[in-house]
Every structure is written in structure tokens, then in C-alpha cells.
Amino acid sequence: LIFIVVWLPVRGKSFFARQFSETFSAPEVNYDRLRHALYAEPSFTKSELDLVEKLANYEIDELLKTQKTFIIDGGGWTKAQRLALRKKAQEAGFGTLIVWVQTDENTVKYRSMKRSKKRKDDQYNVSLSASQYEQLAKRFSAPVANEPSVVISGKHTYATQARVVLKKLVAPRVADTKTIVNHANRAPDASQPRRNVIIR
């Protein structure tokens, strides 16, 4: 399985991706890490974003060979990019789950302008100007109904976030179990009285 953690900077996506990666010992493809290895002062121009995506795809291609779960933090900005990732994953025998981290706009703008580099786990974070933030916002397209996704809050604790994601992963299995015990598709037996049984 590939977890694709999406949304704009300072929504809390990197916090979740890092914690989830550590919890399950899963490799993480971190776009910010690549960006800061290439640029001392990232500008988030189209050419910069395209180069970071190209290098991240090299990492993803290698991780697909392992047949192990991993996490992508910072990719899948557009529907086309996510579709390409899902297609690549499917061809390699992987499933995908988009983790959409949402935070209210006032909190996001405050975090964006005041982003600090003091904390060790934020070493790849930089403050964004209002114009840079707006530029990135224009590039992003939200997941649509036919994309396998789950929404978590960027303001919740990691334990709560992880619980929501894991519940989403279990849901299809529960549905499969219900299908197994649902006898609605069996041919009716005329010798038995019909009962109105609804399995929820």
C-alpha cells in the first residue's frame, strides 16, 4: 500500500507522515527534504517543483520494487499527478490511499507566515510569503469522489489521525465480511418460509 499525504504546506501533513512512518517503520518519500537538498532558499517555481517531482519519482520507482508499504509526503498536488501515481502503483501490485490533511484557513495562514526552523523535526520547513502560498494553492486540486481517500484534521493529535486512517483501511474488510454472510443472492428455497432479514 502507498499512502499519499496531500494538501498545502503547514496543514500538518508532514507531522502525520513522519509519525506514521516511524510507527510502522515504513519508508517515506519526502518532497521537502529533496527540495532543501537542491535549493538553499526554495522559491516554489514551476521548474523547481517539476525537478523535485522528477527526483521523487525515482525514489518511488525504487521503493515499488520492495513490495513494501511506504508513504509519499508532498506529492500528488493535482488529480493528474495522483492518477499517474495510482496507475504506477497498480501496475506494481500496490493499492493507494490518499490522506487529505485539512486545517482551517486562519490557522494555515498564521502557520505559513510564522513557520519556525527552531524545532529539529521542522528542519526542512521555511516561511512562505503570501504570494508563494497563493501560487501553491492554485496548483492544488482536491481529491474527488472516485479517488480512494480519507480526510484527517491537521489540528488533531497523531493518535486520533492514525485511528481515522486505520479505520478507513479496515472498512473494506468489514464490507467483505458482510458480503460473505449476506444470503440475498441465493436462489430461493420454496420449502422454506421467506424472511425479511436486513444485514447492516
Side-chain angles (χ1 to χ4, degrees), residues 82-108:
R82 293 191 298 271
L83 184 61
L85 282 171
R86 290 175 58 201
K87 183 179 179 182
K88 183 185 291 192
Q90 187 176 20
E91 290 172 352
F94 280 74
T96 55
L97 179 63
I98 300 164
V99 181
W100 186 8
V101 183
Q102 293 187 359
T103 308
D104 66 274
E105 291 300 321
N106 289 334
T107 300
V108 167

Side-chain angles (χ1 to χ4, degrees), residues 120-158:
K120 182 180 178 183
D121 57 2
D122 284 339
Q123 60 183 312
Y124 302 110
N125 291 338
V126 294
S127 295
L128 300 174
S129 67
S131 61
Q132 286 175 327
Y133 179 82
E134 293 302 325
Q135 180 185 353
L136 291 174
K138 287 178 182 178
R139 283 179 59 93
F140 182 80
S141 59
V144 294
N146 66 345
E147 294 182 271
S149 62
V150 60
V151 175
I152 61 174
S153 170
K155 297 179 77 171
H156 284 177
T157 64
Y158 166 68

Side-chain angles (χ1 to χ4, degrees), residues 165-175:
V165 172
L166 295 175
K167 184 177 180 181
K168 175 71 175 182
L169 293 177
V170 171
R173 295 185 182 186
V174 173

Side-chain angles (χ1 to χ4, degrees), residues 21 33 35 38 70 77 79 82 103 111 125 136 142-143 153 161 164 170 177 179 181 186:
S21 171
R33 189 172 298 165
R35 182 175 294 111
L38 294 169
F70 63 95
W77 286 67
K79 183 179 178 182
R82 293 191 298 271
T103 308
R111 288 179 182 176
N125 291 338
L136 291 174
S153 170
Q161 294 173 334
V164 171
V170 171
T177 302
T179 301
V181 298
R186 290 175 58 183

